[in-house]
Amino acid sequence: MNRLAHYTRWLVLCLLSSSVLAASPDGVVAVSHPAAAAAGARLLAQGGNAIDVAAAVQFALNVVEPQSSGIGGGGFMLIHLAKTNETFIVDSRERAPAQASADMFAPDGLPMPFPLGSTSGLAVGVPGTVRGVDTALRRWGNKKLADTLAPAIELAERGFRVNRLLAADIANDGGRTQIHPETAAIFRPGGVPLAEGDWLMQPDLAKTLKRIAAKGPDAFYRGQLARAIVKAQQRTRSELGEAGKGRMTLFDLAQYQVAIREPLIGHYRGWTLAGMPPPSSGGLTMLQMLKMLERFPLGDAAQGYGFGSPKTLHAMIEVMRLAFADRVVWIGDDDAATVPQQGLLHPDYLAMRAALIQADRRMETPQAGDPLPWDSSTAVRPKPSRTLQESPHTTHFSIVDRWGNVVSYTSTIEFTWGSGITVPGYGFLLNNELTDFNFLPSADAATGNPGANDVEPHKRPRSSMAPMLLFKDGKPVAAYGSPGGATIINSVLNVTLNLIDHGMSMQQAIDAPRLSVTHAAGKVSCEGGQDFMQPRFGIAAQDTLRVLGHVGLGEAGTDGCQETIGSVQAVVVDLATGEHRGAADPRREGTVIRVKSRGAKIDATTSIHLQSKQSIP
Ligand code: GLY
């Protein structure tokens, strides 16, 4: 057994035996992989706060869930500080290099084929994770960057067992682990894909993480590692030639800056939500849907609503169609082109949009609305833009520490396996986040279209990531979020409705099957087929949706809900008892670890509980 595994076992066994219960609330981590959760628990046990733990989890995920996030990517860390009652976001989203141009994915006026563009260096955005985590640690953490990297370094150096999800993503990689030889060497040694249970050691990645631990973030953004990144993103697919080469320079890396953002605040049936503003569509689209749904009594079975009823599902589908029609037209990086946030969330605008919903039939495919009459910003009407594909990957984890600080962190390298390019000799994957921009430029001086999500130098591509904090009476009660491309927003919506309208515990809200529509045209995706997804979306309810005209559910009388959508990891604060709990998603290897402290001192009496079922108050 390796040292980390020994350590984890020691922590769980020896500390579980403690009979001393905490006087102060526990620290809790909820993560999609047990080894990354253990890395976070280790920092909690060492007296780290939620920000320290988030750093340790993110670095460990780079090792054990490398296909989803890591130092070659970016993310949004939503933080609530208990002492000052402040909530804000550390935005480490990747940025376009200075030499990026609106037409770079369509050099001949036609969009490049996605599989080629997304696996060439052209798709690589300037990575933000190292700068973002370091910024958060220096401003709000208790620990040093090196302390938070230690568990990841051990995991990379000593290895871990490949879990079913990593094995499945290697097996079903769409070729992405096979295109670039350094990636194949790690995940397909000798040409054989790693399988569940295989041991994976990543010495190059360990060396890279040690370098960052010893020298700080500049070891990533300057010097030999920066030069290796710039060289690696000059890889191109032979079919694209020069056009596929990345445009990032050493200057872009040296100049990368995170943004500290105010959260987008909204209210739903007496609860307050703090979500992600642009450059993500996550918070805006979610709040639009909630405000339109507020007019329907979703929790009231006596009126024909309630979880999984046709009336509830119909309302959810229609608000998704309306909000996603707006998203595609209006939302991009607000730092580059003004997004009419005020108009999109104005009650009168949303009332007008919701009035399009008919009780007895599916509405015609909605166009985006015009929120400008309700907006005092200078936004002008952009044309619809299209992102070619949004990957089901990315990752989310949530943390609460014993002081009540909370982190809700969604991070990504964009597509599963990102660009598929591993930096030679350094062992980490580069993102392909720039594919979240429009492949075809939409800016048009004649119509005043600013091209909200067109590629521009230094701009951040539009995201769907939606780390969320739920507040009651001004206090945080839950943190949650999900991976899943555009479906992220709907996974977070489903969980929110389950908590607030359907009175579920957090674990029930996560387990319950989800429904998602990500285009105005309205193809319905819904979950089922796994035992934990309860209560089911019944065939009778699906038939009613079919009669209303909804598409994507297959033949009448059959169960068209067979998908798996998202992976929500959450923590909960029970306002009545002060207790902290977690809830994890069985769709991945979601793991909750709770670290109990004795009074203010965390020592060997710390105990860790692996939880399966927890509940929100
Ligand atoms: N690349 C995933 C997202 O930002 O939504």
Side-chain angles (χ1 to χ4, degrees), residues 68 74-76 93-94 279-282 327 389-391 393-394 410-415 432-436 461-466 482-489:
S68 298
F76 302 130
R93 181 81 167 159
E94 300 89 331
S280 187
S281 55
R327 171 187 181 268
Q389 284 190 47
E390 297 186 61
S391 160
H393 262 273
T394 299
T410 312
S411 76
T412 188
I413 53 171
E414 170 37 22
F415 219 82
N432 57 356
E433 214 69 55
L434 302 188
T435 63
D436 273 355
R462 181 182 60 217
S463 174
S464 300
M465 294 191 287
S482 178
T487 69
I488 289 173
I489 309 168

Side-chain angles (χ1 to χ4, degrees), residues 110-400:
L110 285 175
M112 287 178 179
F114 186 82
L116 297 179
S118 66
T119 53
S120 71
L122 188 66
V124 180
V126 185
T129 291
V130 173
R131 190 66 78 197
V133 168
D134 180 67
T135 301
L137 280 175
R138 276 188 294 105
R139 294 206 195 168
W140 301 289
N142 290 336
K143 297 286 178 185
K144 293 193 166 40
L145 183 65
D147 299 328
T148 68
L149 280 156
I153 292 169
E154 285 177 30
L155 279 165
E157 206 159 45
R158 300 172 193 284
F160 67 98
R161 290 213 181 277
V162 170
N163 72 359
R164 101 186 129 80
L165 297 146
L166 179 53
D169 283 337
I170 296 169
N172 309 310
D173 66 352
R176 279 168 189 268
T177 62
Q178 302 165 53
I179 297 164
H180 301 285
E182 297 78 9
T183 306
I186 299 169
F187 301 106
R188 297 174 168 265
V192 181
L194 290 172
E196 184 176 357
D198 285 350
W199 198 254
L200 174 56
M201 290 186 283
Q202 298 171 82
D204 284 349
L205 178 57
K207 186 186 77 179
T208 302
L209 298 177
K210 278 183 185 171
R211 227 184 139 73
I212 298 169
K215 301 186 175 191
D218 279 354
F220 185 90
Y221 289 99
R222 295 170 191 271
Q224 66 175 64
L225 179 42
R227 285 194 292 278
I229 293 171
V230 167
K231 189 159 179 225
Q233 56 91 55
Q234 280 157 2
R235 292 274 175 88
T236 181
R237 302 296 302 277
S238 56
E239 298 89 333
L240 298 178
E242 288 291 310
K245 288 190 173 177
R247 301 182 183 191
M248 193 194 312
T249 62
L250 288 173
F251 189 70
D252 290 314
L253 278 160
Q255 293 297 305
Y256 180 87
Q257 286 181 345
V258 301
I260 310 298
R261 299 191 188 278
E262 298 273 319
L264 190 63
I265 301 290
H267 304 282
Y268 181 65
R269 301 197 206 276
W271 301 71
T272 299
L273 296 109
M276 187 63 215
S280 187
S281 55
L284 263 177
T285 300
M286 157 103 173
L287 286 179
Q288 278 199 301
M289 294 193 286
L290 285 175
K291 296 312 283 183
M292 287 190 277
L293 284 171
E294 218 167 24
R295 68 201 64 236
F296 300 97
L298 296 187
D300 191 350
Q303 294 187 61
Y305 288 87
F307 181 89
S309 82
K311 283 173 99 164
T312 299
L313 298 177
H314 176 64
M316 288 170 68
I317 293 167
E318 298 299 67
V319 301
M320 287 175 184
R321 296 174 65 208
L322 289 163
F324 275 85
D326 275 354
R327 171 187 181 268
V328 83
V329 170
W330 292 110
I331 307 180
D333 182 353
D334 199 41
D335 294 344
T338 308
V339 175
Q341 300 188 45
Q342 212 184 338
L344 288 168
L345 291 175
H346 196 283
D348 296 343
Y349 172 69
L350 290 172
M352 188 188 77
R353 296 288 281 164
L356 297 172
I357 300 174
Q358 299 162 63
D360 60 348
R361 79 191 69 146
R362 171 186 190 272
M363 71 185 140
E364 293 297 314
T365 297
Q367 301 298 311
D370 182 0
L372 296 187
W374 289 275
D375 198 277
S376 60
S377 67
T378 54
V380 287
R381 170 178 279 282
K383 279 181 182 166
S385 58
R386 197 159 69 93
T387 308
L388 290 186
Q389 284 190 47
E390 297 186 61
S391 160
H393 262 273
T394 299
T395 200
H396 180 87
F397 53 93
S398 300
I399 297 152
V400 57

Side-chain angles (χ1 to χ4, degrees), residues 4-138:
L4 185 76
H6 261 309
Y7 175 81
T8 307
R9 203 173 130 84
W10 169 80
L11 213 52
V12 172
L13 294 180
C14 134
L15 303 181
L16 263 179
S17 63
S18 165
S19 57
V20 183
L21 290 183
S24 65
D26 305 338
V28 181
V29 294
V31 188
S32 57
H33 192 291
R42 179 164 153 185
L43 264 289
L44 277 176
Q46 291 170 351
N49 69 12
I51 291 93
D52 304 317
V53 175
V57 170
Q58 174 59 81
F59 291 133
L61 281 171
N62 191 157
V63 181
V64 297
E65 207 185 71
Q67 72 275 37
S68 298
S69 77
I71 60 175
F76 302 130
M77 190 193 300
L78 175 54
I79 298 173
H80 176 80
L81 296 179
K83 202 166 173 182
T84 57
N85 203 30
E86 288 170 288
T87 305
F88 53 90
I89 296 125
V90 179
D91 172 353
S92 62
R93 181 81 167 159
E94 300 89 331
R95 306 184 77 166
Q99 288 171 26
S101 62
D103 63 353
M104 70 183 199
F105 286 113
D108 306 318
L110 285 175
M112 287 178 179
F114 186 82
L116 297 179
S118 66
T119 53
S120 71
L122 188 66
V124 180
V126 185
T129 291
V130 173
R131 190 66 78 197
V133 168
D134 180 67
T135 301
L137 280 175
R138 276 188 294 105

